[in-house]
Amino acid sequence: MKEFYISDCARQENKIITSNFVVVSKQIKPKKSGEPYLALTLGDRSGQLEAKMWDNVEEVLNAFEQDDFLKVKGLVNKYKNRFQLTIHKLRKLGESEIEFSDYLPKTTRNIDELWQTLAGFVASFQNAHLRSLVQAFMSDPEIAAAYRNAPAAKTLHHAYIGGLLDHVVSLFRSCDLVSRNYPQVNRDLLLTGVFLHDIGKIHELSYNRSFSYTTRGQLLGHMVIELEMLQAKLALVPDFPVELKTLLEHLIISHHGQYEFGSPKLPMFPEALLLHYMDDLDSKMEAMRAHFEREAELESPWTSYNASLGRPLLDSAKFLAPKPVVPPDDSSAAEAEVEAEYASESSEEAPTLPGLKP
């Protein structure tokens, strides 16, 4: 297990560190002089870090590629209020030197318990068609294994092993509660939409060494993949109503909520609208939680700029936490006592020699 993780940057600022990382991205760029430099994004299970190598670059340009593992020595510093690493030396790691658990973040929750929670919700469905459909997905060994391990996104939210399942269970709980407040909402339809809305990410994202997009994911996106997966499983559910099929397809293609966010259609019925807003809320709350966790060591309750939310964030729990009481300075009290004593002595009548008047 490596000793330095990216989350340790605040404690190691302006220090030289040596550690191992996975190469999330690699770019070769020209300096003003025309000579090349390396611009890397390095990763481990605690996050990602931008890194630059300015000197002796020609020696290592072709020594590694994206998704390789490196041993790196360099200086941790800040640039534009963000940590970065200035690389002095690097080498590619051999397979025997790699401890894969060091590099991919994983949910702290119990995967088996999350899966059982999901199954419990599905078993409670009143609509037999929807219950059978979701159970057909869950009983598929390949889909189930991937669903339990896939991240929910590459970087923005729930970007860790088990993130998809964590996100979906969170949404099941929230949507189950909120649907009770709106009688017009079909709970089973809404929860089926929750189960399906990101299932295509098991094929869209690659998460063996680092989180990236598969070729199919880049070309099609998870929504198109989900429509294909839905069509394949519907063939296993006899007499599935065509109207329900159409509603499920709309839930899938409208859940991003806006055209500019990749939705071919806007949400057009209650369950679709609720799915969009609850999905958006859960992703944003997780993005905030993760940002607070990354910067937990900072004294200020204000975080650095969060790119996905477009603002710095205030950790309200840290802001409201009781401030440490500074004990009184004993040396100051002693000095005050001496000054008071001196003032008292100086105020006494000065002694005089016999026969002399002051």
Side-chain angles (χ1 to χ4, degrees):
M1 180 178 292
K2 68 201 202 100
E3 296 180 358
F4 173 87
Y5 288 90
I6 290 169
S7 58
D8 298 325
C9 281
R11 291 195 295 271
Q12 300 295 328
E13 186 175 359
N14 298 322
K15 295 182 181 178
I16 301 291
I17 62 96
T18 300
S19 192
N20 303 337
F21 304 96
V22 63
V23 180
V24 178
S25 68
K26 173 188 176 182
Q27 291 181 293
I28 302 170
K29 296 183 177 182
K31 301 179 189 177
K32 291 182 180 179
S33 64
E35 296 178 317
Y37 75 91
L38 277 175
L40 307 178
T41 302
L42 303 177
D44 64 26
R45 71 186 186 197
S46 70
Q48 296 184 356
L49 180 67
E50 299 305 311
K52 303 287 191 298
M53 186 171 185
W54 303 100
D55 301 317
N56 305 315
V57 173
E58 291 85 352
E59 300 174 10
V60 298
L61 274 182
N62 300 313
F64 68 94
E65 298 299 335
Q66 180 177 319
D67 289 337
D68 283 337
F69 295 86
L70 303 178
K71 185 168 187 175
V72 173
K73 181 179 180 180
L75 174 68
V76 176
N77 54 14
K78 270 188 176 178
Y79 178 69
K80 293 185 178 179
N81 207 36
R82 299 185 69 178
F83 285 110
Q84 67 171 12
L85 183 66
T86 302
I87 300 174
H88 299 159
K89 295 180 180 179
L90 64 80
R91 71 171 177 83
K92 181 179 175 181
L93 292 175
E95 289 292 321
S96 63
E97 299 178 274
I98 301 168
E99 185 69 43
F100 287 94
S101 61
D102 285 337
Y103 302 98
L104 291 181
K106 185 177 181 180
T107 180
T108 57
R109 295 178 173 85
N110 185 294
I111 293 290
D112 290 333
E113 290 179 1
L114 290 174
W115 190 251
Q116 288 303 315
T117 298
L118 195 62
F121 274 109
V122 176
S124 72
F125 283 11
Q126 299 298 305
N127 187 297
H129 294 293
L130 294 175
R131 184 172 63 249
S132 296
L133 174 65
V134 177
Q135 288 175 341
F137 278 102
M138 295 184 71
S139 62
D140 183 316
E142 183 179 346
I143 290 176
Y147 205 108
R148 290 161 59 100
N149 286 286
K154 181 174 179 286
T155 55
L156 295 182
H157 70 94
H158 299 86
Y160 48 80
I161 297 299
L164 173 60
L165 180 58
D166 206 346
H167 174 50
V168 168
V169 170
S170 176
L171 278 177
F172 261 58
R173 289 172 174 150
S174 298
C175 289
D176 179 54
L177 287 173
V178 173
S179 65
R180 301 176 196 181
N181 197 45
Y182 300 101
Q184 71 272 33
V185 169
N186 182 322
R187 171 187 178 269
D188 294 356
L189 177 61
L190 172 62
L191 294 186
T192 303
V194 169
F195 181 84
L196 294 173
H197 83 288
D198 273 348
I199 196 171
K201 289 185 177 178
I202 69 174
H203 299 303
E204 180 185 37
L205 297 173
S206 170
Y207 43 95
N208 291 324
R209 289 173 171 249
S210 63
F211 297 139
S212 58
Y213 289 100
T214 64
T215 298
R216 191 163 177 238
Q218 284 278 26
L219 295 177
L220 301 180
H222 65 281
M223 284 186 269
V224 171
I225 294 171
E226 285 157 10
L227 293 176
E228 292 180 356
M229 294 175 72
L230 174 62
Q231 190 66 36
K233 281 293 180 275
L234 284 174
L236 305 178
V237 183
D239 304 318
F240 195 91
V242 65
E243 295 85 1
L244 267 184
K245 174 179 178 288
T246 301
L247 294 181
L248 291 176
E249 290 170 333
H250 182 79
L251 283 165
I252 288 170
I253 68 171
S254 69
H255 78 268
H256 282 187
Q258 299 179 45
Y259 296 131
E260 57 266 36
F261 294 157
S263 271
K265 288 290 183 178
L266 302 181
M268 295 182 184
F269 54 84
E271 294 80 8
L273 188 68
L274 192 52
L275 172 60
H276 160 61
Y277 280 114
M278 296 304 292
D279 179 40
D280 187 58
L281 174 64
D282 195 68
S283 64
K284 285 181 167 57
M285 291 299 290
E286 169 58 19
M288 278 194 166
R289 185 208 63 77
H291 201 133
F292 294 151
E293 184 179 84
R294 285 193 299 271
E295 302 192 357
E297 299 296 327
L298 301 182
E299 291 184 9
S300 172
W302 282 102
T303 71
S304 60
Y305 183 82
N306 184 288
S308 66
L309 296 172
R311 70 204 78 169
L313 307 174
L314 177 70
D315 187 336
S316 52
K318 188 184 290 187
F319 181 69
L320 292 173
K323 306 299 185 289
V325 177
V326 180
D329 190 338
D330 294 339
S331 62
S332 299
E335 289 174 4
E337 186 177 338
V338 170
E339 289 178 2
E341 185 177 346
Y342 177 79
S344 174
E345 290 175 353
S346 63
S347 65
E348 295 178 359
E349 186 177 349
T352 60
L353 293 174
L356 292 178
K357 293 183 179 180

